[in-house]
Amino acid sequence: MLKPLLIEIGVEELPAIPLLKELNNIEKKWLNILEEYQLQTDFHFYYTPRRLVLWHPEFPVKQPDREEEFWGPPKGLVEKNRKAGEGFARKVGVPLEKLSYRRRKGGEFLYYSRKVEGERAERLIGEMVQKWLNSLNFGKEMVWGECPEPFIRPVRWLLGIFGEEFLEFKTHCVKSGRVTYGHRIFKEPIPVEGIKDYFEKLKRFKVILFQQERRERILEGIGKVEKEEGMRVGVNQPLLEEIVAITEYPTPLVGKFEEEFLQLPPEVIVVSMETHQRYFPVYRGEKLTNRFVVVANTPAEDFSKIVSGNERVLRARLKDALFFWEQDLKRGLSPVGLEEIIYFDRLGSLADKVERELRIALRLAKLLDVDPQLVAEAVHYGKGDLLTEMVYEFPELQGIMGYYYSRAQKVPEEVAVALKEQHQDQVSNPISLVLNLAVKLENLLGLFAIGKVPKGNRDPFALRRSGNHLLRLLLDWKVDLNLRQLLEELAEEYRREGLEVNPERLLEFLFERLYHFYPDVNPAVVRAVLKSGTASLPEIDEKIKLLNRLVQSEGWEELASTFKRVANILKGVELPEELKVQEELLVEDGERELWKRFKEVVAQNRQEGIREIQLDNLLELKPWIDRFFDEVRVNVEDPALRRNRQQLIGAIYNEFKRVVGDLKEVS
């Protein structure tokens, strides 16, 4: 039998960001609890800033009945020692004479089973709700008042309706009742007569419970604004979700500010709106206007005071920003003062960091044939905006403000753009590329040198993100660098400063990130390529794509069986770095023919620059490799013959490894 179930957890205003971060897990955690209690059913989860709601159109009235089994001592032991059987009988609560023996692996054992009736759902729901709330991870939680149970905000009311009955349960020091609350403008509790009445009362008291309905209402209002104003509203998706989470009755409204503030960089105005005030900017074409959209959380008829209040708040913030802008322009962009700011213990000041970035950048400029003078200028100004009043007030504008202030000082446009793009994952010119790479490499090398290596899920300094961006830049720009050699050379410079960096560990850390770049590729393919020894990102990318096509081809299984035989022959065999096959020791036709064909392929590959053709040449060796294994025994008693045959197979294996990857990983 099934009944509808409604659970509402009433809370003080939930902060949007913690709620949204946990949102994907909230339903999963309730589903896990349903499975744990054997009460699985479909359900919906709704949220507003003041309530978390679970709605089951159909919910089981009880758990399914189940059979409990008990296994006792073996029959032989009971026959020898009756007390062993009597002890088991007392445990299950029946006389020994009523027990039987049942056979299972190992012999016959005392056995007892009984039917256990499932628990009624109304007795479990309160416990389940408490377990669910305790499982939610909103980050920082607190105890409120005298209640010892922590939660992100105080729980203020509970409502549970199962069919026609109101549930009685308690959690977080609150007992369930028969009331809910409407929009915050309505102060008094609202009596609820049942589930249907609950949904009707929320509508009447201006609560839009369904988050999708609130989202659609906001977008519909924005669309109306765009049509009436003839402009475009910049809808930032994360901001939209945040506003959905902090409103129960949203209404988009249009406000404006003085045009004099448009002399500010548009990013300053947008950050002031989106990040600090949760407003949507308004554009005419691609140009920012002096309009904004604020979403009111009220069912008022006259919104004029709300609009004017928000205009006043934004005006004050933009006024401060304009003052910072003018003061910073007077001071100019300069790195003077970075020596007073500590970067990290053992890594010195920000000025020291800039010096290290300069050495890295100049090395990269030489390798990539980029103007070293422009690179040095970009590094010189790179951290200068950290000393400005604007970035002090708006840290998220680091780099962007450097762009505007450097342009005001008439630096070359490439340098100004590089300042803006130094922390981004995409760049538009070679100066930006070198500066961005230098910043990322210094972050990684410096923090690895002082042991700030990410562990588990902890990555407080976002080194994984730095690594991802570094790899993406190298791939996008097809930067053909030997990353292993570069890291070894840079690590040596850090050692001169008394800082120890393990370049191989750092390279391993970076290559671990590569698996995320190829979500549709078998990880074994990526691993095979990485084990080929190459440290050039474009070459790695080419090999992964080539090997992936091979592994997905129709004839791969037959090819794989051959490569597996090659790998098995060499398993546990230590071969010299330089393999030398002695032709005079090739006594069998199968090995002589394979060596002849292999030499021809190697000669072709040395002349052929296209890797795909090199691989095709190697794959043509398959019949000769198969013949070799059919006709030639490798592990013969004669050590010279055995070693020579191993080196022959090793040479073929190494050529495959050079061209595409370590095939034993995928065969």
Side-chain angles (χ1 to χ4, degrees), residues 178-233:
R178 298 183 175 215
V179 300
T180 186
Y181 284 79
H183 191 279
R184 63 185 176 188
I185 65 171
F186 302 101
K187 305 299 182 184
E188 298 302 318
I190 302 166
V192 176
E193 296 177 6
I195 292 176
K196 183 179 179 182
D197 186 52
Y198 168 81
F199 288 114
E200 290 175 353
K201 288 283 178 62
L202 287 188
K203 287 182 181 179
R204 191 188 314 168
F205 287 90
K206 305 302 181 183
V207 173
I208 300 176
L209 177 62
F210 313 125
Q211 53 267 26
Q212 182 58 29
E213 188 177 335
R214 298 199 301 279
R215 188 180 295 108
E216 290 170 358
R217 179 182 170 91
I218 294 169
L219 292 173
E220 184 180 335
I222 287 174
K224 186 178 179 182
V225 168
E226 291 180 323
K227 187 174 181 181
E228 291 175 352
E229 299 286 334
M231 299 180 184
R232 175 178 65 85
V233 178

Short mmCIF file of all heavy atoms in Angstrom, two decimals, residues 178-233:
data_model
loop_
_atom_site.label_atom_id
_atom_site.label_comp_id
_atom_site.label_asym_id
_atom_site.label_seq_id
_atom_site.Cartn_x
_atom_site.Cartn_y
_atom_site.Cartn_z
N ARG A 178 1.69 21.26 12.84
CA ARG A 178 0.69 21.26 11.77
C ARG A 178 0.63 22.62 11.09
O ARG A 178 -0.43 23.04 10.63
CB ARG A 178 -0.68 20.88 12.35
CG ARG A 178 -0.71 19.49 12.95
CD ARG A 178 -2.09 19.14 13.44
NE ARG A 178 -2.11 17.76 13.91
CZ ARG A 178 -3.14 16.92 13.79
NH1 ARG A 178 -4.26 17.35 13.22
NH2 ARG A 178 -3.09 15.69 14.25
N VAL A 179 1.76 23.30 11.08
CA VAL A 179 1.79 24.63 10.48
C VAL A 179 2.98 24.75 9.54
O VAL A 179 3.95 24.00 9.64
CB VAL A 179 1.88 25.75 11.55
CG1 VAL A 179 0.68 25.69 12.49
CG2 VAL A 179 3.19 25.67 12.31
N THR A 180 2.85 25.70 8.61
CA THR A 180 3.97 26.12 7.78
C THR A 180 4.04 27.64 7.87
O THR A 180 3.29 28.27 8.61
CB THR A 180 3.81 25.65 6.32
OG1 THR A 180 4.99 25.96 5.60
CG2 THR A 180 2.63 26.30 5.63
N TYR A 181 4.96 28.23 7.10
CA TYR A 181 5.08 29.68 7.06
C TYR A 181 5.12 30.12 5.60
O TYR A 181 5.69 29.43 4.75
CB TYR A 181 6.35 30.15 7.78
CG TYR A 181 6.24 30.10 9.28
CD1 TYR A 181 6.37 28.90 9.97
CD2 TYR A 181 5.99 31.26 10.02
CE1 TYR A 181 6.25 28.85 11.35
CE2 TYR A 181 5.88 31.22 11.40
CZ TYR A 181 6.01 30.01 12.06
OH TYR A 181 5.89 29.97 13.43
N GLY A 182 4.51 31.25 5.34
CA GLY A 182 4.50 31.80 3.99
C GLY A 182 5.73 32.66 3.75
O GLY A 182 6.77 32.49 4.39
N HIS A 183 5.61 33.58 2.80
CA HIS A 183 6.68 34.53 2.54
C HIS A 183 7.00 35.29 3.82
O HIS A 183 6.15 35.46 4.69
CB HIS A 183 6.23 35.49 1.43
CG HIS A 183 7.33 36.35 0.90
ND1 HIS A 183 7.74 37.50 1.54
CD2 HIS A 183 8.09 36.25 -0.22
CE1 HIS A 183 8.72 38.06 0.85
NE2 HIS A 183 8.94 37.32 -0.24
N ARG A 184 8.21 35.78 3.93
CA ARG A 184 8.65 36.38 5.19
C ARG A 184 7.87 37.63 5.56
O ARG A 184 7.94 38.08 6.71
CB ARG A 184 10.14 36.70 5.13
CG ARG A 184 10.53 37.72 4.08
CD ARG A 184 12.02 37.89 3.99
NE ARG A 184 12.41 38.81 2.93
CZ ARG A 184 13.66 39.01 2.55
NH1 ARG A 184 14.63 38.37 3.16
NH2 ARG A 184 13.94 39.85 1.59
N ILE A 185 7.11 38.21 4.62
CA ILE A 185 6.29 39.37 4.99
C ILE A 185 5.10 38.95 5.85
O ILE A 185 4.50 39.80 6.51
CB ILE A 185 5.80 40.13 3.73
CG1 ILE A 185 4.85 39.26 2.90
CG2 ILE A 185 6.95 40.63 2.90
CD1 ILE A 185 4.16 40.01 1.77
N PHE A 186 4.77 37.65 5.81
CA PHE A 186 3.69 37.13 6.66
C PHE A 186 4.34 36.52 7.90
O PHE A 186 5.01 35.49 7.82
CB PHE A 186 2.86 36.09 5.92
CG PHE A 186 2.25 36.59 4.65
CD1 PHE A 186 2.82 36.30 3.41
CD2 PHE A 186 1.11 37.38 4.68
CE1 PHE A 186 2.26 36.76 2.24
CE2 PHE A 186 0.55 37.86 3.50
CZ PHE A 186 1.12 37.56 2.28
N LYS A 187 4.14 37.12 9.04
CA LYS A 187 4.87 36.73 10.25
C LYS A 187 4.26 35.52 10.96
O LYS A 187 4.97 34.75 11.59
CB LYS A 187 4.93 37.91 11.24
CG LYS A 187 5.52 39.19 10.65
CD LYS A 187 6.95 39.00 10.19
CE LYS A 187 7.54 40.29 9.65
NZ LYS A 187 8.90 40.09 9.11
N GLU A 188 2.95 35.36 10.87
CA GLU A 188 2.28 34.34 11.67
C GLU A 188 2.36 32.96 11.01
O GLU A 188 2.37 32.86 9.78
CB GLU A 188 0.81 34.72 11.88
CG GLU A 188 0.62 36.03 12.63
CD GLU A 188 1.27 35.99 14.00
OE1 GLU A 188 1.15 34.96 14.68
OE2 GLU A 188 1.89 37.00 14.39
N PRO A 189 2.36 31.90 11.85
CA PRO A 189 2.32 30.54 11.29
C PRO A 189 0.99 30.30 10.59
O PRO A 189 -0.04 30.89 10.94
CB PRO A 189 2.48 29.65 12.52
CG PRO A 189 2.08 30.49 13.68
CD PRO A 189 2.44 31.89 13.33
N ILE A 190 1.02 29.41 9.59
CA ILE A 190 -0.16 29.14 8.77
C ILE A 190 -0.60 27.70 9.03
O ILE A 190 0.15 26.75 8.72
CB ILE A 190 0.17 29.32 7.28
CG1 ILE A 190 0.67 30.76 7.04
CG2 ILE A 190 -1.03 29.01 6.42
CD1 ILE A 190 1.32 30.93 5.69
N PRO A 191 -1.78 27.48 9.60
CA PRO A 191 -2.27 26.10 9.82
C PRO A 191 -2.43 25.36 8.50
O PRO A 191 -2.84 25.94 7.49
CB PRO A 191 -3.62 26.31 10.51
CG PRO A 191 -3.59 27.71 11.03
CD PRO A 191 -2.73 28.49 10.09
N VAL A 192 -2.09 24.08 8.51
CA VAL A 192 -2.19 23.23 7.32
C VAL A 192 -3.13 22.07 7.63
O VAL A 192 -2.99 21.41 8.67
CB VAL A 192 -0.80 22.70 6.91
CG1 VAL A 192 -0.92 21.74 5.74
CG2 VAL A 192 0.13 23.84 6.55
N GLU A 193 -4.06 21.81 6.72
CA GLU A 193 -5.03 20.73 6.94
C GLU A 193 -4.65 19.44 6.22
O GLU A 193 -5.19 18.38 6.53
CB GLU A 193 -6.41 21.20 6.50
CG GLU A 193 -6.94 22.37 7.32
CD GLU A 193 -8.29 22.86 6.82
OE1 GLU A 193 -8.85 22.20 5.91
OE2 GLU A 193 -8.77 23.88 7.33
N GLY A 194 -3.76 19.51 5.28
CA GLY A 194 -3.35 18.32 4.56
C GLY A 194 -2.38 18.69 3.46
O GLY A 194 -1.98 19.85 3.30
N ILE A 195 -1.98 17.70 2.65
CA ILE A 195 -0.97 17.93 1.63
C ILE A 195 -1.47 18.90 0.56
O ILE A 195 -0.78 19.86 0.19
CB ILE A 195 -0.54 16.60 0.99
CG1 ILE A 195 0.24 15.76 2.02
CG2 ILE A 195 0.32 16.84 -0.25
CD1 ILE A 195 0.63 14.39 1.55
N LYS A 196 -2.69 18.70 0.09
CA LYS A 196 -3.25 19.60 -0.92
C LYS A 196 -3.34 21.02 -0.38
O LYS A 196 -2.99 21.99 -1.05
CB LYS A 196 -4.62 19.10 -1.36
CG LYS A 196 -5.25 19.95 -2.45
CD LYS A 196 -6.61 19.38 -2.86
CE LYS A 196 -7.24 20.27 -3.94
NZ LYS A 196 -8.59 19.77 -4.32
N ASP A 197 -3.79 21.13 0.86
CA ASP A 197 -3.91 22.44 1.50
C ASP A 197 -2.55 23.10 1.65
O ASP A 197 -2.42 24.32 1.53
CB ASP A 197 -4.59 22.28 2.86
CG ASP A 197 -4.89 23.62 3.52
OD1 ASP A 197 -5.50 24.47 2.86
OD2 ASP A 197 -4.48 23.81 4.68
N TYR A 198 -1.52 22.29 1.91
CA TYR A 198 -0.15 22.83 2.06
C TYR A 198 0.28 23.57 0.79
O TYR A 198 0.73 24.72 0.84
CB TYR A 198 0.82 21.70 2.37
CG TYR A 198 2.28 22.08 2.26
CD1 TYR A 198 2.93 22.74 3.28
CD2 TYR A 198 3.01 21.78 1.10
CE1 TYR A 198 4.27 23.11 3.17
CE2 TYR A 198 4.35 22.12 0.98
CZ TYR A 198 4.97 22.78 2.02
OH TYR A 198 6.30 23.14 1.91
N PHE A 199 0.13 22.92 -0.35
CA PHE A 199 0.55 23.54 -1.61
C PHE A 199 -0.29 24.78 -1.92
O PHE A 199 0.22 25.78 -2.41
CB PHE A 199 0.46 22.53 -2.76
CG PHE A 199 1.52 21.46 -2.72
CD1 PHE A 199 1.19 20.14 -2.50
CD2 PHE A 199 2.86 21.78 -2.89
CE1 PHE A 199 2.17 19.15 -2.47
CE2 PHE A 199 3.84 20.81 -2.87
CZ PHE A 199 3.50 19.48 -2.65
N GLU A 200 -1.58 24.71 -1.62
CA GLU A 200 -2.45 25.86 -1.87
C GLU A 200 -2.10 27.03 -0.96
O GLU A 200 -2.10 28.19 -1.39
CB GLU A 200 -3.91 25.45 -1.68
CG GLU A 200 -4.43 24.51 -2.77
CD GLU A 200 -5.83 24.02 -2.50
OE1 GLU A 200 -6.36 24.30 -1.39
OE2 GLU A 200 -6.41 23.36 -3.39
N LYS A 201 -1.77 26.73 0.31
CA LYS A 201 -1.44 27.79 1.26
C LYS A 201 -0.14 28.50 0.86
O LYS A 201 -0.03 29.72 0.98
CB LYS A 201 -1.31 27.20 2.67
CG LYS A 201 -2.64 26.78 3.31
CD LYS A 201 -3.42 27.95 3.81
CE LYS A 201 -4.78 27.55 4.40
NZ LYS A 201 -4.70 26.66 5.56
N LEU A 202 0.83 27.75 0.40
CA LEU A 202 2.08 28.39 -0.02
C LEU A 202 1.83 29.36 -1.17
O LEU A 202 2.38 30.47 -1.19
CB LEU A 202 3.12 27.34 -0.44
CG LEU A 202 3.75 26.51 0.68
CD1 LEU A 202 4.88 25.66 0.11
CD2 LEU A 202 4.28 27.37 1.81
N LYS A 203 1.01 28.95 -2.13
CA LYS A 203 0.70 29.87 -3.23
C LYS A 203 -0.01 31.12 -2.72
O LYS A 203 0.30 32.24 -3.13
CB LYS A 203 -0.19 29.16 -4.26
CG LYS A 203 0.54 28.12 -5.10
CD LYS A 203 -0.41 27.51 -6.13
CE LYS A 203 0.31 26.45 -6.95
NZ LYS A 203 -0.62 25.81 -7.93
N ARG A 204 -0.98 30.91 -1.82
CA ARG A 204 -1.76 32.03 -1.32
C ARG A 204 -0.89 33.01 -0.54
O ARG A 204 -1.09 34.21 -0.58
CB ARG A 204 -2.90 31.52 -0.44
CG ARG A 204 -3.92 32.61 -0.10
CD ARG A 204 -4.93 32.14 0.93
NE ARG A 204 -5.46 30.81 0.63
CZ ARG A 204 -6.19 30.10 1.51
NH1 ARG A 204 -6.43 30.59 2.71
NH2 ARG A 204 -6.64 28.92 1.18
N PHE A 205 0.11 32.46 0.16
CA PHE A 205 0.97 33.31 0.98
C PHE A 205 2.31 33.59 0.30
O PHE A 205 3.34 33.76 0.93
CB PHE A 205 1.15 32.69 2.37
CG PHE A 205 -0.08 32.78 3.22
CD1 PHE A 205 -1.04 31.77 3.20
CD2 PHE A 205 -0.31 33.88 4.02
CE1 PHE A 205 -2.19 31.85 3.98
CE2 PHE A 205 -1.44 33.98 4.80
CZ PHE A 205 -2.40 32.96 4.78
N LYS A 206 2.28 33.62 -1.03
CA LYS A 206 3.34 34.15 -1.87
C LYS A 206 4.68 33.42 -1.75
O LYS A 206 5.74 34.03 -1.68
CB LYS A 206 3.55 35.65 -1.59
CG LYS A 206 2.29 36.49 -1.74
CD LYS A 206 1.70 36.35 -3.14
CE LYS A 206 0.44 37.21 -3.29
NZ LYS A 206 -0.20 37.03 -4.61
N VAL A 207 4.61 32.10 -1.74
CA VAL A 207 5.82 31.28 -1.82
C VAL A 207 5.75 30.44 -3.09
O VAL A 207 4.82 29.64 -3.25
CB VAL A 207 5.99 30.36 -0.60
CG1 VAL A 207 7.17 29.41 -0.80
CG2 VAL A 207 6.18 31.17 0.67
N ILE A 208 6.69 30.66 -4.00
CA ILE A 208 6.81 29.79 -5.18
C ILE A 208 7.77 28.68 -4.79
O ILE A 208 8.99 28.86 -4.75
CB ILE A 208 7.32 30.58 -6.39
CG1 ILE A 208 6.36 31.73 -6.72
CG2 ILE A 208 7.49 29.66 -7.60
CD1 ILE A 208 6.83 32.63 -7.84
N LEU A 209 7.20 27.53 -4.46
CA LEU A 209 8.01 26.45 -3.90
C LEU A 209 8.96 25.83 -4.93
O LEU A 209 10.09 25.47 -4.61
CB LEU A 209 7.09 25.36 -3.34
CG LEU A 209 7.77 24.11 -2.78
CD1 LEU A 209 8.68 24.47 -1.60
CD2 LEU A 209 6.73 23.07 -2.36
N PHE A 210 8.51 25.72 -6.17
CA PHE A 210 9.27 24.98 -7.17
C PHE A 210 10.35 25.86 -7.76
O PHE A 210 10.06 26.90 -8.39
CB PHE A 210 8.34 24.46 -8.27
CG PHE A 210 7.10 23.80 -7.73
CD1 PHE A 210 5.84 24.22 -8.12
CD2 PHE A 210 7.21 22.78 -6.80
CE1 PHE A 210 4.71 23.62 -7.61
CE2 PHE A 210 6.07 22.16 -6.29
CZ PHE A 210 4.82 22.58 -6.69
N GLN A 211 11.60 25.47 -7.58
CA GLN A 211 12.72 26.30 -8.03
C GLN A 211 12.71 26.54 -9.54
O GLN A 211 13.10 27.61 -10.02
CB GLN A 211 14.07 25.71 -7.59
CG GLN A 211 14.30 24.27 -7.95
CD GLN A 211 13.88 23.31 -6.83
OE1 GLN A 211 13.02 23.64 -6.04
NE2 GLN A 211 14.50 22.15 -6.78
N GLN A 212 12.25 25.56 -10.30
CA GLN A 212 12.18 25.75 -11.75
C GLN A 212 11.17 26.84 -12.09
O GLN A 212 11.39 27.64 -13.02
CB GLN A 212 11.79 24.44 -12.45
CG GLN A 212 11.73 24.52 -13.96
CD GLN A 212 13.05 24.97 -14.59
OE1 GLN A 212 14.13 24.74 -14.04
NE2 GLN A 212 12.96 25.62 -15.74
N GLU A 213 10.08 26.92 -11.35
CA GLU A 213 9.08 27.96 -11.59
C GLU A 213 9.65 29.34 -11.26
O GLU A 213 9.39 30.32 -11.97
CB GLU A 213 7.83 27.68 -10.75
CG GLU A 213 6.67 28.59 -11.06
CD GLU A 213 5.42 28.23 -10.26
OE1 GLU A 213 5.29 27.05 -9.85
OE2 GLU A 213 4.58 29.13 -10.04
N ARG A 214 10.45 29.43 -10.18
CA ARG A 214 11.08 30.71 -9.85
C ARG A 214 12.06 31.12 -10.94
O ARG A 214 12.15 32.28 -11.33
CB ARG A 214 11.80 30.63 -8.50
CG ARG A 214 10.89 30.33 -7.33
CD ARG A 214 11.51 30.70 -6.00
NE ARG A 214 12.75 30.02 -5.70
CZ ARG A 214 12.84 28.78 -5.21
NH1 ARG A 214 11.74 28.07 -4.99
NH2 ARG A 214 14.02 28.24 -4.95
N ARG A 215 12.84 30.15 -11.43
CA ARG A 215 13.81 30.43 -12.49
C ARG A 215 13.11 30.95 -13.74
O ARG A 215 13.53 31.92 -14.35
CB ARG A 215 14.60 29.15 -12.80
CG ARG A 215 15.76 29.32 -13.74
CD ARG A 215 16.48 28.01 -13.98
NE ARG A 215 17.11 27.48 -12.78
CZ ARG A 215 16.68 26.42 -12.11
NH1 ARG A 215 15.60 25.75 -12.53
NH2 ARG A 215 17.30 26.01 -11.03
N GLU A 216 12.02 30.29 -14.12
CA GLU A 216 11.27 30.70 -15.31
C GLU A 216 10.65 32.09 -15.11
O GLU A 216 10.59 32.89 -16.05
CB GLU A 216 10.19 29.67 -15.62
CG GLU A 216 10.76 28.35 -16.14
CD GLU A 216 9.71 27.25 -16.21
OE1 GLU A 216 8.54 27.51 -15.82
OE2 GLU A 216 10.05 26.13 -16.65
N ARG A 217 10.19 32.37 -13.90
CA ARG A 217 9.61 33.69 -13.62
C ARG A 217 10.65 34.79 -13.77
O ARG A 217 10.37 35.86 -14.32
CB ARG A 217 9.02 33.69 -12.20
CG ARG A 217 8.39 35.02 -11.79
CD ARG A 217 7.88 34.93 -10.35
NE ARG A 217 7.50 36.23 -9.84
CZ ARG A 217 6.28 36.76 -9.93
NH1 ARG A 217 5.32 36.08 -10.54
NH2 ARG A 217 6.02 37.96 -9.43
N ILE A 218 11.88 34.52 -13.28
CA ILE A 218 12.96 35.51 -13.41
C ILE A 218 13.30 35.73 -14.88
O ILE A 218 13.40 36.87 -15.35
CB ILE A 218 14.20 35.04 -12.63
CG1 ILE A 218 13.90 35.03 -11.11
CG2 ILE A 218 15.39 35.96 -12.91
CD1 ILE A 218 14.97 34.35 -10.28
N LEU A 219 13.47 34.64 -15.63
CA LEU A 219 13.84 34.77 -17.05
C LEU A 219 12.73 35.42 -17.86
O LEU A 219 12.99 36.19 -18.79
CB LEU A 219 14.18 33.39 -17.61
CG LEU A 219 15.47 32.75 -17.06
CD1 LEU A 219 15.63 31.33 -17.57
CD2 LEU A 219 16.69 33.60 -17.42
N GLU A 220 11.50 35.12 -17.51
CA GLU A 220 10.37 35.75 -18.20
C GLU A 220 10.37 37.26 -17.95
O GLU A 220 10.16 38.06 -18.86
CB GLU A 220 9.06 35.13 -17.71
CG GLU A 220 7.83 35.65 -18.43
CD GLU A 220 6.55 35.01 -17.91
OE1 GLU A 220 6.62 33.88 -17.37
OE2 GLU A 220 5.49 35.63 -18.04
N GLY A 221 10.63 37.65 -16.68
CA GLY A 221 10.69 39.08 -16.35
C GLY A 221 11.85 39.77 -17.06
O GLY A 221 11.71 40.90 -17.54
N ILE A 222 12.99 39.07 -17.16
CA ILE A 222 14.14 39.63 -17.87
C ILE A 222 13.82 39.80 -19.35
O ILE A 222 14.17 40.82 -19.97
CB ILE A 222 15.38 38.75 -17.66
CG1 ILE A 222 15.91 38.92 -16.23
CG2 ILE A 222 16.47 39.07 -18.67
CD1 ILE A 222 17.04 37.99 -15.86
N GLY A 223 13.15 38.82 -19.92
CA GLY A 223 12.75 38.92 -21.33
C GLY A 223 11.83 40.11 -21.57
O GLY A 223 11.94 40.80 -22.59
N LYS A 224 10.95 40.36 -20.62
CA LYS A 224 10.04 41.50 -20.73
C LYS A 224 10.83 42.82 -20.68
O LYS A 224 10.56 43.75 -21.45
CB LYS A 224 9.02 41.44 -19.60
CG LYS A 224 7.93 42.49 -19.68
CD LYS A 224 6.93 42.32 -18.55
CE LYS A 224 5.86 43.40 -18.62
NZ LYS A 224 4.89 43.28 -17.48
N VAL A 225 11.83 42.86 -19.79
CA VAL A 225 12.68 44.06 -19.68
C VAL A 225 13.42 44.29 -21.00
O VAL A 225 13.49 45.42 -21.51
CB VAL A 225 13.68 43.91 -18.52
CG1 VAL A 225 14.76 44.99 -18.58
CG2 VAL A 225 12.96 43.95 -17.18
N GLU A 226 13.99 43.24 -21.56
CA GLU A 226 14.74 43.37 -22.82
C GLU A 226 13.85 43.90 -23.94
O GLU A 226 14.27 44.74 -24.74
CB GLU A 226 15.33 42.01 -23.20
CG GLU A 226 16.44 41.55 -22.27
CD GLU A 226 17.01 40.20 -22.65
OE1 GLU A 226 16.22 39.34 -23.10
OE2 GLU A 226 18.22 40.00 -22.50
N LYS A 227 12.61 43.42 -23.96
CA LYS A 227 11.68 43.85 -25.01
C LYS A 227 11.29 45.31 -24.84
O LYS A 227 11.27 46.08 -25.80
CB LYS A 227 10.44 42.95 -24.99
CG LYS A 227 9.49 43.19 -26.15
CD LYS A 227 8.37 42.18 -26.13
CE LYS A 227 7.43 42.41 -27.31
NZ LYS A 227 6.30 41.44 -27.31
N GLU A 228 11.01 45.70 -23.59
CA GLU A 228 10.57 47.07 -23.32
C GLU A 228 11.70 48.07 -23.48
O GLU A 228 11.50 49.17 -23.99
CB GLU A 228 9.99 47.16 -21.90
CG GLU A 228 8.66 46.43 -21.74
CD GLU A 228 8.18 46.44 -20.30
OE1 GLU A 228 8.94 46.88 -19.42
OE2 GLU A 228 7.02 46.00 -20.06
N GLU A 229 12.92 47.69 -23.04
CA GLU A 229 14.04 48.62 -23.06
C GLU A 229 14.83 48.57 -24.37
O GLU A 229 15.67 49.44 -24.64
CB GLU A 229 15.00 48.31 -21.90
CG GLU A 229 14.37 48.45 -20.52
CD GLU A 229 14.16 49.88 -20.10
OE1 GLU A 229 14.91 50.76 -20.59
OE2 GLU A 229 13.26 50.16 -19.30
N GLY A 230 14.60 47.53 -25.18
CA GLY A 230 15.36 47.37 -26.41
C GLY A 230 16.83 47.09 -26.15
O GLY A 230 17.70 47.52 -26.91
N MET A 231 17.12 46.39 -25.05
CA MET A 231 18.50 46.11 -24.66
C MET A 231 18.65 44.62 -24.34
O MET A 231 17.68 43.86 -24.37
CB MET A 231 18.89 46.95 -23.44
CG MET A 231 18.81 48.46 -23.68
SD MET A 231 19.28 49.41 -22.23
CE MET A 231 18.97 51.08 -22.79
N ARG A 232 19.87 44.23 -24.03
CA ARG A 232 20.17 42.84 -23.68
C ARG A 232 20.65 42.76 -22.23
O ARG A 232 21.55 43.48 -21.84
CB ARG A 232 21.26 42.28 -24.61
CG ARG A 232 21.71 40.87 -24.26
CD ARG A 232 22.76 40.38 -25.25
NE ARG A 232 23.98 41.16 -25.19
CZ ARG A 232 24.97 40.92 -24.31
NH1 ARG A 232 24.88 39.94 -23.42
NH2 ARG A 232 26.07 41.68 -24.34
N VAL A 233 20.04 41.87 -21.47
CA VAL A 233 20.44 41.66 -20.08
C VAL A 233 21.48 40.54 -20.04
O VAL A 233 21.26 39.46 -20.61
CB VAL A 233 19.23 41.30 -19.19
CG1 VAL A 233 19.68 41.04 -17.76
CG2 VAL A 233 18.20 42.42 -19.23
#
